[in-house]
Amino acid sequence: RSLLKGIGAAPAAVTLFSIPRYAKAAEISLRYGNNLPLSHPLNIRAKEAADRIAKETNGRVEMLIFPANQLGGDTDMLSQVRNGALTFFTPSALVIATLVPVAAINAVGFAFKDYNQVWAAMDGPVGAFVRKAIADSRLHALETMWDNGFRQMTTSGAPIESAASMKGLKIRVPVSPISISMFAGLGAAPASLQFSEVYTALQTKVVDAQENPLPIIQVAKLYEVQSSCALSNHIWDGYWFIANGRQWAGMPADVQEIVSRAINEAGLKQREDIKALNEGIQADLQSKGLKFNQCDTESFRAKLRDAGFYKEWKQKFGPEAWGHLESIVGTLA
Ligand code: X2X
């Protein structure tokens, strides 16, 4: 303070008093990238986790968030978290499955009846099995999976009412082998595109349809370029919060503990956000012009069974992973 005496001029004082909350610059910068707009609960809760990490480490650790595909699409961010350019990335299970195939186990069509089954599986044996497989790829998956939601189908063409509506439908799916397999099995013409490309692809009619949970349709404004939504609940999808393995292992134990607690607890809150959001979201999307219809999900299942979809993926995932899933949801194939 005494140093300031005699300087007197405002600029010095301004500099002094605009120092951020934490006196020292962070010693550890964690870089986290994701594919969702800032208004999605995933980003809102991740920001809270970042604030908590800074606070609980007295500013020693900062988590910088790069939302909304700022650093590229899913495939780019997956490379970045593998090579260490990113510390954290939240790929959907569908997307990390391009690297860790068994991670798509939660995306078996029509497997889950409700969220009780989802969390019993993902906080239980299915999630544990997948996290181990992720670790084998030199990535660390935090315990709590974040919610994306039950995926629904939207189109700019005729409403999707049953499996017959799928014939030849140009539908965008994520960069995800099981999604391609499922929609091909349903008779559609699926195309893999990163999420960063979806709005434009729908707008320019490169594809006519897409499938995503309602909160994504809302925050990414897909209702502007789609006219109807079939409530199919065909896949439950979530985000794994993954870390570069070397960076994770290199973190001091106390930091690791603070970071994992902050992120895991934020993830639990994020699940509640999605649940709350789901309550009024249909009405909101309807008011924005999206028409909703029920669809004949039994016709979808039957078509998938006939196409050999369940048999094929049971074999791909292997008896152990499949057994964990069936221990929660009952016999599938
Ligand atoms: O790309 C998608 O459709 C999204 C946003 O749901 C995923 O991250 C898989």
Side-chain angles (χ1 to χ4, degrees):
R1 197 149 273 158
S2 61
L3 279 177
L4 270 182
K5 277 199 180 142
I7 295 175
V14 167
T15 306
L16 183 71
F17 292 109
S18 65
I19 288 175
R21 266 188 299 161
Y22 309 106
K24 285 183 293 184
E27 290 162 24
I28 302 176
S29 281
L30 310 172
R31 296 163 58 85
Y32 162 46
N34 68 63
N35 67 355
L36 294 181
L38 267 179
S39 53
H40 190 277
L42 174 134
N43 270 311
I44 293 165
R45 295 298 181 182
K47 174 73 171 66
E48 279 180 17
D51 291 345
R52 185 173 166 191
I53 289 165
K55 186 157 169 248
E56 291 182 3
T57 62
N58 293 313
R60 215 174 119 213
V61 181
E62 64 179 355
M63 181 163 83
L64 305 171
I65 305 178
F66 301 90
N69 295 301
Q70 276 174 16
L71 300 181
D74 285 325
T75 314
D76 306 299
M77 287 188 281
L78 190 57
S79 307
Q80 289 160 17
V81 76
R82 293 179 74 193
N83 69 27
L86 276 175
T87 319
F88 293 115
F89 171 41
T90 39
S92 140
L94 295 168
V95 169
I96 194 176
T98 57
L99 176 68
V100 182
V102 78
I105 184 88
N106 61 262
V108 171
F110 304 99
F112 296 110
K113 205 170 62 211
D114 55 30
Y115 271 106
N116 287 338
Q117 288 189 344
V118 166
W119 299 130
M122 305 322 291
D123 293 335
V126 177
F129 192 87
V130 170
R131 289 183 61 240
K132 190 167 169 303
I134 292 174
D136 291 341
S137 295
R138 293 191 297 277
L139 294 166
H140 175 76
L142 296 189
E143 289 80 359
T144 300
M145 197 178 194
W146 295 44
D147 195 10
N148 190 0
F150 279 90
R151 301 181 77 90
Q152 320 293 349
M153 302 178 194
T154 68
T155 177
S156 57
I160 295 167
E161 279 162 349
S162 69
S165 316
M166 303 305 288
K167 193 156 188 271
L169 183 68
K170 284 196 281 179
I171 184 166
R172 175 273 175 178
V173 297
V175 181
S176 152
I178 199 171
S179 304
I180 291 283
S181 165
M182 177 172 174
F183 283 92
L186 289 171
S192 275
L193 292 174
Q194 305 198 82
F195 188 61
S196 48
E197 302 169 302
V198 172
Y199 187 97
T200 308
L202 292 167
Q203 190 176 37
T204 57
K205 300 276 165 73
V206 168
V207 289
D208 296 315
Q210 69 87 43
E211 43 88 51
N212 251 302
L214 300 184
I216 299 270
I217 293 166
Q218 184 185 53
V219 297
K221 301 189 193 306
L222 300 184
Y223 52 82
E224 292 177 352
V225 286
Q226 294 283 270
S227 52
S228 73
C229 178
L231 295 167
S232 54
N233 293 305
H234 56 281
I235 282 175
W236 176 80
D237 186 21
Y239 288 101
W240 285 110
F241 216 109
I242 60 167
N244 173 277
R246 212 168 356 94
Q247 285 184 38
W248 182 258
M251 261 179 229
D254 62 324
V255 171
Q256 228 182 52
E257 200 185 306
I258 288 171
V259 169
S260 55
R261 199 183 322 119
I263 293 176
N264 284 327
E265 290 182 13
L268 292 178
K269 291 189 186 144
Q270 189 267 355
R271 293 180 184 180
E272 291 303 311
D273 294 341
I274 296 285
K275 194 169 157 191
L277 200 54
N278 278 335
E279 308 270 304
I281 198 163
Q282 207 176 307
D284 177 65
L285 290 170
Q286 223 154 348
S287 78
K288 293 179 161 109
L290 193 64
K291 291 191 193 68
F292 284 86
N293 63 277
Q294 302 296 326
C295 61
D296 175 7
T297 49
E298 197 39 56
S299 71
F300 287 94
R301 281 179 212 257
K303 178 100 191 196
L304 287 176
R305 270 195 301 268
D306 292 349
F309 173 83
Y310 293 102
K311 225 197 262 161
E312 179 187 338
W313 285 90
K314 178 178 179 175
Q315 201 171 30
K316 282 198 168 130
F317 290 132
E320 204 182 340
W322 196 265
H324 288 315
L325 179 61
E326 287 194 332
S327 76
I328 308 287
V329 304
T331 306
L332 274 169

mmCIF file of all heavy atoms in Angstrom, residues 35-36 74 90-92 94-95 148 151 172-174 193-195 198 210-213 216 237 239, ligand 1:
data_model
loop_
_atom_site.group_PDB
_atom_site.id
_atom_site.type_symbol
_atom_site.label_atom_id
_atom_site.label_comp_id
_atom_site.label_asym_id
_atom_site.label_seq_id
_atom_site.Cartn_x
_atom_site.Cartn_y
_atom_site.Cartn_z
ATOM 1 N N ASN A 35 -19.389 -29.777 -27.000
ATOM 2 C CA ASN A 35 -20.055 -29.471 -28.275
ATOM 3 C C ASN A 35 -21.388 -28.745 -28.107
ATOM 4 O O ASN A 35 -22.138 -28.610 -29.063
ATOM 5 C CB ASN A 35 -20.255 -30.769 -29.082
ATOM 6 C CG ASN A 35 -21.254 -31.730 -28.442
ATOM 7 O OD1 ASN A 35 -21.746 -31.502 -27.346
ATOM 8 N ND2 ASN A 35 -21.553 -32.829 -29.126
ATOM 9 N N LEU A 36 -21.704 -28.283 -26.887
ATOM 10 C CA LEU A 36 -23.049 -27.747 -26.658
ATOM 11 C C LEU A 36 -23.073 -26.241 -26.425
ATOM 12 O O LEU A 36 -22.121 -25.672 -25.891
ATOM 13 C CB LEU A 36 -23.680 -28.457 -25.461
ATOM 14 C CG LEU A 36 -23.971 -29.949 -25.677
ATOM 15 C CD1 LEU A 36 -24.622 -30.544 -24.446
ATOM 16 C CD2 LEU A 36 -24.842 -30.169 -26.907
ATOM 17 N N ASP A 74 -16.735 -32.959 -32.591
ATOM 18 C CA ASP A 74 -16.485 -34.066 -31.663
ATOM 19 C C ASP A 74 -15.227 -34.858 -32.000
ATOM 20 O O ASP A 74 -14.450 -35.220 -31.112
ATOM 21 C CB ASP A 74 -17.672 -35.038 -31.691
ATOM 22 C CG ASP A 74 -18.880 -34.481 -30.954
ATOM 23 O OD1 ASP A 74 -18.688 -33.784 -29.941
ATOM 24 O OD2 ASP A 74 -20.007 -34.750 -31.394
ATOM 25 N N THR A 90 -16.282 -33.856 -23.036
ATOM 26 C CA THR A 90 -17.476 -34.647 -22.722
ATOM 27 C C THR A 90 -18.078 -35.185 -24.015
ATOM 28 O O THR A 90 -18.987 -34.565 -24.577
ATOM 29 C CB THR A 90 -18.536 -33.817 -21.968
ATOM 30 O OG1 THR A 90 -18.580 -32.485 -22.515
ATOM 31 C CG2 THR A 90 -18.250 -33.748 -20.487
ATOM 32 N N PRO A 91 -17.580 -36.313 -24.491
ATOM 33 C CA PRO A 91 -18.215 -36.929 -25.652
ATOM 34 C C PRO A 91 -19.457 -37.688 -25.216
ATOM 35 O O PRO A 91 -19.507 -38.259 -24.131
ATOM 36 C CB PRO A 91 -17.158 -37.914 -26.153
ATOM 37 C CG PRO A 91 -16.415 -38.306 -24.911
ATOM 38 C CD PRO A 91 -16.429 -37.094 -24.008
ATOM 39 N N SER A 92 -20.455 -37.686 -26.080
ATOM 40 C CA SER A 92 -21.582 -38.592 -25.885
ATOM 41 C C SER A 92 -21.037 -40.015 -25.963
ATOM 42 O O SER A 92 -20.019 -40.274 -26.616
ATOM 43 C CB SER A 92 -22.606 -38.334 -26.986
ATOM 44 O OG SER A 92 -23.173 -39.539 -27.454
ATOM 45 N N LEU A 94 -22.176 -42.244 -27.666
ATOM 46 C CA LEU A 94 -22.209 -42.618 -29.081
ATOM 47 C C LEU A 94 -20.892 -42.282 -29.760
ATOM 48 O O LEU A 94 -20.398 -43.026 -30.609
ATOM 49 C CB LEU A 94 -23.336 -41.852 -29.793
ATOM 50 C CG LEU A 94 -24.766 -42.164 -29.353
ATOM 51 C CD1 LEU A 94 -25.723 -41.129 -29.931
ATOM 52 C CD2 LEU A 94 -25.147 -43.568 -29.787
ATOM 53 N N VAL A 95 -20.318 -41.156 -29.372
ATOM 54 C CA VAL A 95 -19.133 -40.634 -30.049
ATOM 55 C C VAL A 95 -17.845 -41.270 -29.518
ATOM 56 O O VAL A 95 -16.961 -41.641 -30.295
ATOM 57 C CB VAL A 95 -19.096 -39.095 -29.909
ATOM 58 C CG1 VAL A 95 -17.759 -38.537 -30.352
ATOM 59 C CG2 VAL A 95 -20.234 -38.469 -30.727
ATOM 60 N N ASN A 148 -27.636 -36.642 -21.430
ATOM 61 C CA ASN A 148 -28.032 -35.976 -22.666
ATOM 62 C C ASN A 148 -29.549 -36.136 -22.763
ATOM 63 O O ASN A 148 -30.276 -35.169 -22.761
ATOM 64 C CB ASN A 148 -27.287 -36.574 -23.874
ATOM 65 C CG ASN A 148 -27.489 -35.764 -25.148
ATOM 66 O OD1 ASN A 148 -28.185 -34.760 -25.146
ATOM 67 N ND2 ASN A 148 -26.896 -36.191 -26.249
ATOM 68 N N ARG A 151 -33.395 -39.902 -26.883
ATOM 69 C CA ARG A 151 -33.373 -39.282 -28.206
ATOM 70 C C ARG A 151 -34.732 -39.437 -28.902
ATOM 71 O O ARG A 151 -35.383 -40.476 -28.784
ATOM 72 C CB ARG A 151 -32.223 -39.867 -29.045
ATOM 73 C CG ARG A 151 -30.859 -39.655 -28.386
ATOM 74 C CD ARG A 151 -29.688 -40.208 -29.200
ATOM 75 N NE ARG A 151 -29.321 -39.365 -30.316
ATOM 76 C CZ ARG A 151 -28.422 -38.383 -30.265
ATOM 77 N NH1 ARG A 151 -27.754 -38.131 -29.134
ATOM 78 N NH2 ARG A 151 -28.159 -37.660 -31.327
ATOM 79 N N ARG A 172 -29.812 -37.422 -40.262
ATOM 80 C CA ARG A 172 -28.485 -37.222 -39.681
ATOM 81 C C ARG A 172 -28.392 -37.977 -38.368
ATOM 82 O O ARG A 172 -29.312 -37.928 -37.552
ATOM 83 C CB ARG A 172 -28.232 -35.734 -39.436
ATOM 84 C CG ARG A 172 -26.921 -35.451 -38.711
ATOM 85 C CD ARG A 172 -27.049 -35.498 -37.181
ATOM 86 N NE ARG A 172 -25.756 -35.341 -36.507
ATOM 87 C CZ ARG A 172 -25.604 -35.302 -35.188
ATOM 88 N NH1 ARG A 172 -26.661 -35.408 -34.398
ATOM 89 N NH2 ARG A 172 -24.409 -35.193 -34.659
ATOM 90 N N VAL A 173 -27.275 -38.666 -38.174
ATOM 91 C CA VAL A 173 -26.966 -39.276 -36.874
ATOM 92 C C VAL A 173 -25.566 -38.807 -36.480
ATOM 93 O O VAL A 173 -24.810 -38.329 -37.326
ATOM 94 C CB VAL A 173 -27.041 -40.827 -36.921
ATOM 95 C CG1 VAL A 173 -28.447 -41.305 -37.235
ATOM 96 C CG2 VAL A 173 -26.026 -41.408 -37.903
ATOM 97 N N PRO A 174 -25.207 -38.912 -35.193
ATOM 98 C CA PRO A 174 -23.840 -38.544 -34.796
ATOM 99 C C PRO A 174 -22.808 -39.460 -35.462
ATOM 100 O O PRO A 174 -23.165 -40.439 -36.116
ATOM 101 C CB PRO A 174 -23.858 -38.752 -33.275
ATOM 102 C CG PRO A 174 -25.291 -38.673 -32.887
ATOM 103 C CD PRO A 174 -26.051 -39.258 -34.034
ATOM 104 N N LEU A 193 -22.863 -36.976 -39.205
ATOM 105 C CA LEU A 193 -22.332 -35.608 -39.242
ATOM 106 C C LEU A 193 -22.025 -35.199 -37.817
ATOM 107 O O LEU A 193 -22.744 -35.581 -36.890
ATOM 108 C CB LEU A 193 -23.375 -34.633 -39.798
ATOM 109 C CG LEU A 193 -23.788 -34.729 -41.263
ATOM 110 C CD1 LEU A 193 -24.942 -33.765 -41.535
ATOM 111 C CD2 LEU A 193 -22.606 -34.393 -42.172
ATOM 112 N N GLN A 194 -20.980 -34.409 -37.636
ATOM 113 C CA GLN A 194 -20.710 -33.881 -36.307
ATOM 114 C C GLN A 194 -21.819 -32.897 -35.933
ATOM 115 O O GLN A 194 -22.446 -32.296 -36.808
ATOM 116 C CB GLN A 194 -19.353 -33.174 -36.281
ATOM 117 C CG GLN A 194 -18.234 -34.059 -36.765
ATOM 118 C CD GLN A 194 -16.888 -33.545 -36.333
ATOM 119 O OE1 GLN A 194 -16.462 -33.790 -35.210
ATOM 120 N NE2 GLN A 194 -16.221 -32.825 -37.199
ATOM 121 N N PHE A 195 -22.013 -32.710 -34.630
ATOM 122 C CA PHE A 195 -23.113 -31.852 -34.187
ATOM 123 C C PHE A 195 -22.953 -30.423 -34.712
ATOM 124 O O PHE A 195 -23.947 -29.752 -35.010
ATOM 125 C CB PHE A 195 -23.197 -31.860 -32.658
ATOM 126 C CG PHE A 195 -24.426 -31.163 -32.162
ATOM 127 C CD1 PHE A 195 -25.691 -31.614 -32.504
ATOM 128 C CD2 PHE A 195 -24.320 -30.032 -31.367
ATOM 129 C CE1 PHE A 195 -26.827 -30.965 -32.068
ATOM 130 C CE2 PHE A 195 -25.457 -29.375 -30.920
ATOM 131 C CZ PHE A 195 -26.712 -29.839 -31.272
ATOM 132 N N VAL A 198 -25.001 -29.852 -37.863
ATOM 133 C CA VAL A 198 -26.382 -30.314 -37.979
ATOM 134 C C VAL A 198 -27.360 -29.237 -38.434
ATOM 135 O O VAL A 198 -28.156 -29.453 -39.350
ATOM 136 C CB VAL A 198 -26.845 -30.944 -36.645
ATOM 137 C CG1 VAL A 198 -28.329 -31.257 -36.688
ATOM 138 C CG2 VAL A 198 -26.064 -32.214 -36.384
ATOM 139 N N GLN A 210 -33.333 -35.609 -38.209
ATOM 140 C CA GLN A 210 -32.250 -35.810 -37.246
ATOM 141 C C GLN A 210 -32.881 -36.399 -36.002
ATOM 142 O O GLN A 210 -34.106 -36.481 -35.880
ATOM 143 C CB GLN A 210 -31.505 -34.508 -36.952
ATOM 144 C CG GLN A 210 -32.301 -33.473 -36.181
ATOM 145 C CD GLN A 210 -32.220 -33.639 -34.669
ATOM 146 O OE1 GLN A 210 -31.150 -33.891 -34.119
ATOM 147 N NE2 GLN A 210 -33.359 -33.509 -33.979
ATOM 148 N N GLU A 211 -32.067 -36.806 -35.052
ATOM 149 C CA GLU A 211 -32.616 -37.342 -33.796
ATOM 150 C C GLU A 211 -31.743 -36.855 -32.652
ATOM 151 O O GLU A 211 -30.520 -36.884 -32.742
ATOM 152 C CB GLU A 211 -32.723 -38.874 -33.871
ATOM 153 C CG GLU A 211 -31.532 -39.597 -34.478
ATOM 154 C CD GLU A 211 -30.484 -39.916 -33.434
ATOM 155 O OE1 GLU A 211 -30.842 -40.497 -32.406
ATOM 156 O OE2 GLU A 211 -29.310 -39.581 -33.661
ATOM 157 N N ASN A 212 -32.402 -36.321 -31.617
ATOM 158 C CA ASN A 212 -31.728 -35.776 -30.444
ATOM 159 C C ASN A 212 -32.727 -35.648 -29.300
ATOM 160 O O ASN A 212 -33.929 -35.568 -29.540
ATOM 161 C CB ASN A 212 -31.148 -34.379 -30.757
ATOM 162 C CG ASN A 212 -29.631 -34.382 -30.853
ATOM 163 O OD1 ASN A 212 -28.936 -34.760 -29.914
ATOM 164 N ND2 ASN A 212 -29.115 -33.984 -32.003
ATOM 165 N N PRO A 213 -32.228 -35.574 -28.073
ATOM 166 C CA PRO A 213 -33.129 -35.298 -26.951
ATOM 167 C C PRO A 213 -33.729 -33.886 -27.073
ATOM 168 O O PRO A 213 -33.107 -32.996 -27.680
ATOM 169 C CB PRO A 213 -32.212 -35.384 -25.730
ATOM 170 C CG PRO A 213 -31.053 -36.218 -26.181
ATOM 171 C CD PRO A 213 -30.860 -35.868 -27.621
ATOM 172 N N ILE A 216 -31.668 -30.609 -26.439
ATOM 173 C CA ILE A 216 -30.734 -30.238 -27.513
ATOM 174 C C ILE A 216 -31.498 -29.543 -28.639
ATOM 175 O O ILE A 216 -31.055 -28.539 -29.199
ATOM 176 C CB ILE A 216 -30.025 -31.499 -28.068
ATOM 177 C CG1 ILE A 216 -29.213 -32.180 -26.978
ATOM 178 C CG2 ILE A 216 -29.195 -31.170 -29.307
ATOM 179 C CD1 ILE A 216 -27.814 -31.741 -26.819
ATOM 180 N N ASP A 237 -29.060 -41.503 -24.197
ATOM 181 C CA ASP A 237 -27.688 -41.049 -24.451
ATOM 182 C C ASP A 237 -27.186 -40.166 -23.305
ATOM 183 O O ASP A 237 -27.935 -39.350 -22.761
ATOM 184 C CB ASP A 237 -27.701 -40.242 -25.767
ATOM 185 C CG ASP A 237 -26.311 -39.843 -26.229
ATOM 186 O OD1 ASP A 237 -25.321 -40.475 -25.814
ATOM 187 O OD2 ASP A 237 -26.227 -38.887 -27.038
ATOM 188 N N TYR A 239 -23.356 -38.210 -21.509
ATOM 189 C CA TYR A 239 -21.992 -37.728 -21.755
ATOM 190 C C TYR A 239 -21.028 -38.286 -20.710
ATOM 191 O O TYR A 239 -21.268 -38.158 -19.511
ATOM 192 C CB TYR A 239 -21.945 -36.199 -21.658
ATOM 193 C CG TYR A 239 -22.611 -35.498 -22.812
ATOM 194 C CD1 TYR A 239 -23.887 -34.970 -22.688
ATOM 195 C CD2 TYR A 239 -21.964 -35.358 -24.034
ATOM 196 C CE1 TYR A 239 -24.505 -34.319 -23.753
ATOM 197 C CE2 TYR A 239 -22.563 -34.711 -25.103
ATOM 198 C CZ TYR A 239 -23.827 -34.197 -24.958
ATOM 199 O OH TYR A 239 -24.434 -33.563 -26.011
HETATM 200 O O1 X2X B 1 -24.393 -34.785 -31.829
HETATM 201 C C1 X2X B 1 -25.438 -34.994 -31.205
HETATM 202 O O2 X2X B 1 -26.486 -35.335 -31.751
HETATM 203 C C2 X2X B 1 -25.431 -34.853 -29.703
HETATM 204 C C3 X2X B 1 -25.398 -33.395 -29.340
HETATM 205 O O3 X2X B 1 -26.559 -35.436 -29.149
HETATM 206 C C4 X2X B 1 -24.239 -35.584 -29.219
HETATM 207 O O4 X2X B 1 -23.352 -35.035 -28.628
HETATM 208 C C5 X2X B 1 -24.197 -37.018 -29.564
#
